[in-house]
Amino acid sequence: AQSVSQHNHHVILSEAASLELGCNYSYGGTVNLFWYVQYPGQHLQLLLKYFSGDPLVKGIKGFEAEFIKSKFSFNLRKPSVQWSDTAEYFCAVSEGAQKLVFGQGTRLTINP
Amino acid sequence: GAGVSQSPSNKVTEKGKDVELRCDPISGHTALYWYRQSLGQGLEFLIYFQGNSAPDKSGLPSDRFSAERTGGSVSTLTIQRTQQEDSAVYLCASSPGGLCDFGPGTRLLVL
């Protein structure tokens, strides 16, 4: 069965620091990859997605992620974080139209 | 446009009672998911409906949990004989294929 691993459970950074959150998945076939974000008290919302094409994907709010097929990874990055990026971040993978499988989530705390 | 809606937004119940949680997906979305979000547990997949196919129930934690999707639209998640460990936020999501739109969730507290 498909599984998704997010290695960092809680990350604490200062404003302006660079961010990279790890995500690895288990399936070796054709996958769709997503990062979702949940700000405190809000719905889960899509940050960015990869279906095909350029493996470097740009999302909202300055986030990007790189799909590295050989490493089964889809790490999330942001060059300079802001206090407002404090949230929980979830990586998710689906095989075509199959169900979306989520990682355990990474809680990001940005100190002003 | 209208997003995924869920009701009730909060539900407090006593141990042993049955509860029904409702999800109204985005019109035209063929796929519908239920997830459970507990503190420190991430997002736990419960059940997945895709069109007219048999639902994927592989995530339901026990036979106390069941879900229906009527007419390819509204879905109801039923928890029978609730237990305290069922306390969580129950999230519904719908999808046209690929990415999901999530509802606000139903926060369930079992006393």
Side-chain angles (χ1 to χ4, degrees):
Chain A
Q2 178 70 274
S3 66
V4 180
S5 298
Q6 292 181 243
H7 313 295
N8 315 105
H9 297 294
H10 188 192
V11 173
I12 302 172
L13 295 172
S14 298
E15 276 192 311
S18 64
L19 170 71
E20 181 160 2
L21 301 182
C23 173
N24 287 88
Y25 59 93
S26 61
Y27 181 64
T30 302
V31 292
N32 301 317
L33 300 155
F34 308 85
W35 276 96
Y36 281 82
V37 61
Q38 189 172 32
Y39 297 104
Q42 295 189 27
H43 301 190
L44 272 160
Q45 56 186 282
L46 184 69
L47 200 54
L48 49 80
K49 64 184 185 293
Y50 171 82
F51 286 172
S52 64
D54 188 345
L56 185 61
V57 180
K58 305 284 189 188
I60 60 171
K61 303 186 181 186
F63 285 90
E64 65 180 30
E66 185 174 13
F67 169 47
I68 303 179
K69 189 172 181 179
S70 61
K71 294 185 178 180
F72 301 93
S73 71
F74 190 56
N75 292 356
L76 182 71
R77 300 194 294 247
K78 185 170 183 178
S80 177
V81 293
Q82 301 171 305
W83 176 79
S84 58
D85 294 324
T86 294
E88 188 145 16
Y89 293 80
F90 293 91
C91 181
V93 179
S94 69
E95 306 165 36
Q98 298 305 307
K99 70 180 181 229
L100 203 56
V101 176
F102 282 85
Q104 287 295 94
T106 297
R107 185 154 63 102
L108 176 64
T109 301
I110 306 299
N111 293 323
Chain B
V4 179
S5 61
Q6 292 185 245
S7 60
S9 54
N10 291 281
K11 176 73 177 178
V12 181
T13 191
E14 293 178 349
K15 178 180 170 182
K17 295 283 178 72
D18 297 351
V19 295
E20 283 190 353
L21 312 180
R22 178 187 167 104
C23 172
D24 283 88
I26 293 173
S27 177
H29 280 193
T30 56
L32 186 147
Y33 300 78
W34 283 98
Y35 290 91
R36 179 166 70 175
Q37 188 174 26
S38 308
L39 196 62
Q41 297 296 315
L43 277 166
E44 179 187 3
F45 165 76
L46 297 177
I47 188 168
Y48 167 56
F49 297 89
Q50 173 60 54
N52 296 321
S53 302
D56 178 347
K57 303 180 182 180
S58 60
L60 295 177
S62 78
D63 59 9
R64 297 186 295 106
F65 288 72
S66 62
E68 290 185 338
R69 188 178 186 194
T70 53
S73 182
V74 171
S75 178
T76 302
L77 176 70
T78 302
I79 310 173
Q80 296 178 308
R81 305 181 304 281
T82 52
Q83 304 293 311
Q84 287 179 331
E85 61 263 29
D86 299 335
S87 297
V89 177
Y90 289 82
L91 293 169
C92 177
S94 71
S95 171
L99 64 91
C100 284
D101 290 291
F102 279 84
T106 294
R107 187 175 298 275
L108 175 66
L109 178 61
V110 182
L111 301 176

